[in-house]
Amino acid sequence: MANEKWHEINPGAIIDRPGSSKENKTGNWRTFRPVTDKKKCIKCAICWLFCPDNSRIMVENGYFDVNLTYCKGCGICAEECPTDAIEMVMEEW
C-alpha cells in the first residue's frame, strides 16, 4: 500500500454492496433511544420521514414505533416531531 498512488487506493466510507445494512445490525451504537408518547402522537409520520436509518416503523392504528435493531439514537425523530411526542432517554444496556 505504501507504493500506491492516491488514485489507486479504494476510497473509504463507500457502500460497496447494496443491502449490507440488513446484515450489519447497528442499533448497539446507541446511547439514547427514542420513546414515543402515543397520547401526544398525531400520526403525522414526520418521524418516519426524517429517520436516516429507516428504523421508524408503522405499528397498530397508524402509530410509529422504532426498530431498535437499526436505530442509532441520533434524535432526529424527536427533534422533528411537531408535538414533542418523542423523548430521547438514556439507553440502559
Side-chain angles (χ1 to χ4, degrees):
M1 186 184 250
N3 295 330
E4 291 179 303
K5 299 191 183 338
W6 70 269
H7 55 78
E8 297 173 335
I9 299 173
N10 289 332
I14 302 283
I15 298 172
D16 60 350
R17 289 182 303 124
S20 64
S21 65
K22 289 183 179 180
E23 297 169 17
N24 301 312
K25 313 287 190 255
T26 55
N28 61 355
W29 297 358
R30 223 177 19 261
T31 304
F32 292 91
R33 65 182 166 88
V35 175
T36 304
D37 181 350
K38 290 183 180 177
K39 293 176 187 170
K40 292 182 180 179
C41 179
I42 58 173
K43 305 177 189 179
C44 65
I46 290 176
C47 58
W48 171 81
L49 182 66
F50 279 90
C51 178
D53 300 315
N54 199 25
S55 63
R56 299 299 297 193
I57 52 175
M58 185 183 284
V59 292
E60 79 282 344
N61 300 323
Y63 289 105
F64 287 83
D65 206 350
V66 62
N67 181 343
L68 294 175
T69 302
Y70 299 103
C71 175
K72 295 180 187 71
C74 68
I76 293 174
C77 58
E79 186 66 30
E80 295 298 330
C81 180
T83 61
D84 293 325
I86 303 171
E87 179 183 0
M88 298 303 291
V89 299
M90 183 69 80
E91 186 65 82
E92 297 178 14
W93 295 101

